Amino acid sequence: LHVETLDALSISGTEASEVVELLDKCERTLEGVALLGELSPRTRDLVVSYGERLSGRVVAATLRRQGVRAKQLEAWDVGVVTTDEFGEATPLDQSWEGIAASLLPVMEEGTVPVVTGFIGKDLQGRVTTLGRGGSDLTASLLGAAAGFDEVQVWKDVDGILTADPRICPAAAPVARVTFDEAAELAYFGAQVLHPLAMQPCRRAGVPFRVKNSYNPAAEGTLISADGSACSETRLVSAITSKNGVQLVDIESTRMLGAYGFLARVFAAFDRWRISIDVIASSEVSVSLTLNKNQLLERRSISALEQSPGVERSEALVGLMADLEQVANVRVSGGHSIVTLIANVGCSSAVVSAVCAAMDRLGIPVQMISQGASKVNISIVVPEERAVEAVQELHRHFFEQPPDCAGAS
């Protein structure tokens, strides 16, 4: 396919030779994998890196043929250094100085750098990949470290939308959101960005814009430190949902006091390396949600077979065993989290409107929580009613005249 692309774009000579040489290296790597009969995480990262490196060379060559002075650079050529967590590597802080020292001189000489995203090298010089959202993270890191005016990532939608358009056909682009709001949307189900992708720009205070490759004229969504779409008249800027959620109810059976009880609960979660999505607590009870996907890679066992929708994993069973020493524990599956990015100044009105909407539809709200970031309000509902809930909330907040006091 790459050779066919070279021919179609009339790329030849040294430029074509570089691509063919890299293809040969990829083939030899795969032959080694076949010979050994195994694929380690380190080798998988090396194999995966070839696609990005090949594409970068083709893009740079094409730009040069269009009269643009362009140069293909590997991420490690411009200073991207990562941890050695193959498949989920994280850029190290030393990357910031390396990028500024390596990337800016290339640009100052009038050259357009075409840098590979998603990949880097660890301190031992081994190729790593950054995991989901890695290409956006690379763009964010390069722009933030080099001090650019704005970082743009190009997707197939007109930026962040008020809801998933497959659920709500009337969903519209959101012009501006804060980094906090975008992170909450990404974490609770919006597919446009990964929560980690914006962190370098947030750290450096560099605006981050989401644009549409198929509609370049669209303004897209600008993500910055102070740009929120919420206002006194617009209660909510966006709604998202996450399916496959497990609800855990924990009720103390001992006189530990609030501090002792919560300390035991969180110590158990830390021991079994299970993260929490949403939580609501009192002195003697805690309700929280787990993302089912985080347990899928754990070894399945036969326990919990009578709990529909509950991921049967060693981690979850071990967690329950620890918690049951101090509490009654109930785990149930088949839930969804519906999250609203909201104007905290009108949070009472938002909660009132949400509860009224769920009451109209007869959808039970199994849990409600406001995030520590103070920009989101989340409810837990039965998974089979989640689409219905999102559609009704979108109609209320976006498809009728805005009204901060309107909770009907």
Side-chain angles (χ1 to χ4, degrees), residues 128-151:
T128 59
T129 62
L130 305 183
R132 182 170 171 259
S135 293
D136 293 344
L137 174 58
T138 301
S140 178
L141 177 62
L142 295 178
F148 292 166
D149 294 333
E150 180 178 291
V151 170

Side-chain angles (χ1 to χ4, degrees), residues 266-335:
F266 292 127
F269 276 90
D270 179 63
R271 184 177 305 112
W272 291 99
R273 299 174 61 194
I274 296 177
S275 58
I276 298 167
D277 281 341
V278 174
I279 184 170
S281 67
S282 69
E283 286 194 17
V284 295
S285 66
V286 177
S287 291
L288 51 85
T289 64
L290 311 176
N291 186 347
K292 184 177 177 179
N293 291 334
Q294 72 172 311
L295 302 173
L296 289 177
E297 295 183 359
R298 311 293 182 91
R299 181 175 63 86
S300 293
I301 61 177
S302 60
L304 303 178
E305 290 182 348
Q306 304 304 314
S307 302
V310 174
E311 173 58 29
R312 298 185 297 276
S313 69
E314 184 177 13
L316 181 57
V317 174
L319 172 67
M320 290 182 65
D322 283 357
L323 292 175
E324 285 172 348
Q325 296 178 28
V326 296
N328 292 321
V329 184
R330 296 183 302 278
V331 181
S332 59
H335 308 283

